Amino acid sequence: MAIIQLRRFNDEGMAAFKDYLEATRENERNTNGIRVSFPPLPYDNKLTEILDNNIQLDDSKKFQDRYEMAHYLKRQLGSHFKTNDNFEMWAWIAAIFFEQFIRTIPVKKMVTSRFEHFIPFDYIERNYPDLLSIPRNLNYRHCVMTPSYLIENYEDVWCKYLLKDRMNNMGDPIEHTFSNKAILKSKKLRKVILELYQDKTTFLAKPGCYSSSKESGKSNAGKGGVRRFNLIRDRTKKSYDIEVMDVKTIISKMGKEINTSKWVKQQT
Amino acid sequence: MAQGNYRTNPRSIIELESKHILLSINRDDTSSISSFSFKGFSPEISSVYKFNAINKDASIILEIDNKRDIQRVDLGTLKKTLIREKHHFDIEGSLSGLSYRLFIIQGYEVKASCEKILPIDIQRGDERSLINVEAEDLGEIAWRIEPFDGKSEPILKVNSNQDLEMKQLLETDYGRVLIFQNAFEQMLRILIKADEESEWVKNWHVFFDNEGIETPDIEDDRFDIEEWIDETVITMSKKWKLLTKYKNSK
């Protein structure tokens, strides 16, 4: 395959994709990561329908990261580049690039991520509510829709921070960002996070900044890191309105934990 | 052991109380929260120590938080306060269990704040009721008390499925006897571990005072939590007579 017209799954296609994801994960769980081979679902005329004759995608294209993929889709999709809409199209796009999202190293014995990484969570919630075990919305985990949403709505340097990791890894920055929308709503908070935790060369999160902090001992792991950021931010907000402050001043007022951490020291 | 001297409130931020802030919530036909209104400050605020010393150009900001999202609302300045009538919520996720924070800033420094406002609930009259009830999609769960960590005010959440008519059920003697007594007991368990300084806990302490119930003191070794909960539930059940009312209504 190479150049193909833009399609979307029909209801049977969505069901087949869901069934495949469940089947391969079950197999991987029992075999320490051996997949069920992915059937050609996105090319099956019974499971899909053409969405737009004039729009073509190159399904042989290999992307460096989700940032590159999102920009490619933005160029190609035209008026169809609308996120949180047309879930059958986003699931179909996830399916045509499916192999690129498979982990090389199993996590909990599995190399295929959960269904919400490929089929938008909102679609699952509407059509297969029995599958859901987590009470919060996980739409943001979608491997294609969320990168597209981000590049459409947020500053380039922030998108690079979230999306320049490997194609097969959603990454901690996205999980952390979407767990509390305060960061997505505040350009100022995004700038503080980038200032502290972004490697200015790779655009990615600095190694170790998402480590959990240790309750005891002399370890500095997690100190002043992203997992502590919301707590420290809330504490700072009791004394200062960070929305009207510049980034350097915010950091200087965030207290000893941040200011003596390696995330500040690394900047100088 | 390392020792140090620490000062609480080192920046001398003026603490405001809910009663100083005229914030109310409005509900729609299904009793779900739909909007909020801000009508300025109560006259009592001028008696708050040092409040009048704040520059009148200081800005007033309201923040509404549901732990998933946050909404920031500009309320003008002390000199020219912006009144908000039925202002819409711009917050993703559930509108039950919202927390409201108001602060007054000069430059970027907070000069006064109320960290947890208990808004007036118009549809229930200005009662600042002890147990707030809100409808929410709870799936297969009929009702529950949430959150239960004591960090913010627990809410009695009832299933919003309209076929169940849970809100209407709570207004009947049958519903009250089935749900309210147990909800009350759960609230007491949460209250025991909550911050005594938070507004919702202070509300309960006023209630205990009015009812002649001993205020819980968990730092006292002699205080028996289970016994206190048991006695409080029995005392209030005798007063409310929910079971008798239900029997008589049949």
Side-chain angles (χ1 to χ4, degrees):
Chain A
M1 296 288 171
I3 304 296
I4 53 174
Q5 286 167 314
L6 181 63
R7 305 180 78 95
R8 67 178 166 202
F9 280 124
N10 56 26
D11 288 347
E12 290 74 33
M14 292 294 269
F17 195 13
K18 174 192 74 71
D19 290 345
Y20 166 75
L21 292 168
E22 287 183 318
T24 189
R25 281 176 60 83
E26 181 63 26
N27 198 64
E28 291 164 26
R29 193 178 291 115
N30 296 330
T31 58
N32 201 13
I34 298 174
R35 294 170 58 203
V36 174
S37 62
F38 187 46
L41 307 177
Y43 308 99
D44 188 331
N45 288 332
K46 289 180 191 152
L47 300 176
T48 62
E49 59 195 23
I50 290 179
L51 184 59
D52 194 323
N53 274 316
N54 299 316
I55 291 179
Q56 296 178 324
L57 295 177
D58 179 359
D59 70 348
S60 64
K61 202 164 174 55
K62 295 280 181 277
F63 301 107
Q64 286 289 318
D65 47 53
R66 296 182 186 194
Y67 175 83
E68 185 187 322
M69 175 193 66
H71 278 283
Y72 168 74
L73 292 172
K74 187 178 180 182
R75 285 195 303 274
Q76 297 300 114
L77 291 181
S79 62
H80 296 285
F81 194 75
K82 284 184 286 191
T83 50
N84 294 318
D85 185 31
N86 208 346
F87 296 142
E88 294 85 352
M89 178 192 80
W90 292 110
W92 180 81
I93 295 173
I96 65 170
F97 298 123
F98 187 71
E99 296 299 328
Q100 297 186 57
F101 298 116
I102 301 302
R103 293 189 284 257
T104 47
I105 300 168
V107 173
K108 292 181 184 170
K109 297 184 179 179
M110 286 174 278
V111 291
T112 305
S113 298
R114 276 166 48 115
F115 58 81
E116 72 267 13
H117 291 258
F118 304 102
I119 300 173
F121 187 88
D122 281 346
Y123 181 92
I124 296 285
E125 189 173 43
R126 196 184 307 149
N127 295 281
Y128 304 101
D130 293 346
L131 273 184
L132 304 182
S133 56
I134 297 174
R136 65 192 175 95
N137 190 298
L138 301 176
N139 229 25
Y140 63 87
R141 288 187 179 170
H142 196 269
C143 61
V144 183
M145 198 169 68
T146 292
S148 303
Y149 166 79
L150 287 166
I151 66 154
E152 190 69 346
N153 291 286
Y154 294 94
E155 52 277 16
D156 191 55
V157 67
W158 178 250
C159 293
K160 285 177 176 166
Y161 174 69
L162 297 182
L163 300 172
K164 291 292 275 179
D165 205 343
R166 302 183 309 275
M167 271 292 277
N168 63 7
N169 185 27
M170 181 187 76
D172 286 330
I174 285 188
E175 195 65 48
H176 176 257
T177 295
F178 283 89
S179 67
N180 186 317
K181 292 289 172 62
I183 293 166
L184 281 176
K185 271 197 172 172
S186 169
K187 194 169 183 178
K188 195 57 67 68
L189 281 176
R190 295 198 294 276
K191 280 185 173 177
V192 175
I193 286 182
L194 293 178
E195 181 70 16
L196 287 170
Y197 306 119
Q198 186 179 43
D199 182 318
K200 303 298 184 284
T201 311
T202 63
F203 300 106
L204 294 170
K206 292 172 185 170
C209 73
Y210 280 89
S211 300
S212 299
S213 55
K214 299 279 185 287
E215 285 291 319
S216 58
K218 291 180 180 172
S219 169
N220 277 333
K223 184 186 167 194
V226 186
R227 291 180 195 277
R228 297 271 304 154
F229 182 82
N230 287 353
L231 185 73
I232 297 168
R233 174 203 68 197
D234 287 346
R235 202 184 291 153
T236 310
K237 279 173 64 176
K238 287 189 190 301
S239 298
Y240 304 100
D241 183 12
I242 59 180
E243 288 301 319
V244 298
M245 298 162 75
D246 64 71
V247 171
K248 294 278 183 200
T249 312
I250 295 170
I251 293 171
S252 73
K253 300 289 186 189
M254 289 189 95
K256 197 174 160 190
E257 180 175 341
I258 290 282
N259 281 285
T260 59
S261 72
K262 60 181 177 180
W263 316 114
V264 168
K265 286 179 188 165
Q266 277 181 6
Q267 292 172 38
T268 54
Chain B
M1 184 191 282
Q3 288 189 341
N5 292 320
Y6 300 97
R7 187 179 155 198
T8 57
N9 195 7
R11 295 195 53 258
S12 302
I13 295 168
I14 298 165
E15 284 182 43
L16 303 176
E17 294 178 42
S18 280
K19 65 181 181 184
H20 298 131
I21 298 155
L22 304 180
L23 183 74
S24 56
I25 52 169
N26 311 291
R27 293 173 184 273
D28 61 18
D29 296 340
T30 64
S31 293
S32 298
I33 291 174
S34 57
S35 63
F36 67 91
S37 300
F38 172 72
K39 296 184 177 170
F41 298 103
S42 73
E44 290 172 60
I45 202 167
S46 58
S47 61
V48 173
Y49 182 60
K50 287 193 172 175
F51 183 79
N52 288 332
I54 302 174
N55 190 311
K56 295 294 175 279
D57 288 324
S59 302
I60 310 161
I61 307 289
L62 174 69
E63 273 190 359
I64 306 166
D65 191 339
N66 68 350
K67 291 193 171 73
R68 285 271 299 145
D69 196 1
I70 200 161
Q71 180 178 1
R72 182 181 165 99
V73 187
D74 177 12
L75 299 176
T77 63
L78 287 177
K79 188 162 57 185
K80 198 172 180 184
T81 303
L82 295 176
I83 303 301
R84 303 283 187 183
E85 279 283 2
K86 297 199 171 174
H87 198 78
H88 70 281
F89 288 102
D90 176 21
I91 200 159
E92 189 181 305
S94 172
L95 292 183
S96 65
L98 293 175
S99 60
Y100 304 84
R101 169 179 184 249
L102 181 140
F103 55 98
I104 296 168
I105 46 165
Q106 259 175 256
Y108 57 70
E109 294 191 346
V110 174
K111 293 293 174 187
S113 69
C114 181
E115 293 297 327
K116 278 263 191 271
I117 309 173
L118 208 60
I120 299 161
D121 198 339
I122 299 289
Q123 271 79 345
R124 293 181 185 141
D126 181 8
E127 61 181 357
R128 295 182 192 254
S129 61
L130 271 186
I131 301 183
N132 282 323
V133 182
E134 282 169 17
E136 191 174 305
D137 181 5
L138 298 176
E140 283 295 310
I141 296 169
W143 67 273
R144 72 189 325 174
I145 298 280
E146 259 189 349
F148 37 78
D149 58 7
K151 289 179 182 162
S152 55
E153 184 184 9
I155 309 284
L156 169 54
K157 294 183 177 176
V158 294
N159 198 307
S160 60
N161 186 324
Q162 298 207 337
D163 296 337
L164 298 174
E165 298 185 329
M166 291 295 293
K167 280 257 184 181
Q168 290 87 328
L169 180 66
L170 260 184
E171 286 161 13
T172 65
D173 293 320
Y174 182 51
R176 286 200 188 104
V177 79
L178 279 180
I179 298 173
F180 190 76
Q181 276 180 327
N182 186 259
F184 179 72
E185 184 170 341
Q186 288 192 40
M187 292 290 279
L188 296 180
R189 290 189 187 284
I190 296 168
L191 186 85
I192 285 291
K193 57 188 178 185
D195 175 11
E196 288 188 349
E197 291 303 309
S198 61
E199 286 293 321
W200 74 272
V201 176
K202 284 182 189 169
N203 243 19
W204 277 80
H205 286 180
V206 172
F207 166 78
F208 295 142
D209 279 351
N210 291 343
E211 299 296 339
I213 294 169
E214 180 193 5
T215 305
D217 180 4
I218 53 171
E219 288 183 7
D220 183 344
D221 292 340
R222 293 163 301 172
F223 181 75
D224 186 327
I225 292 173
E226 288 306 319
E227 193 179 311
W228 178 81
I229 290 173
D230 202 34
E231 281 178 6
T232 305
V233 169
I234 290 169
T235 303
M236 291 316 300
S237 297
K238 278 181 184 167
K239 177 166 185 182
W240 288 324
K241 292 189 168 39
L242 295 176
L243 203 61
T244 305
K245 284 179 188 167
Y246 169 58
K247 266 194 314 197
N248 294 342
S249 68
K250 286 187 78 178

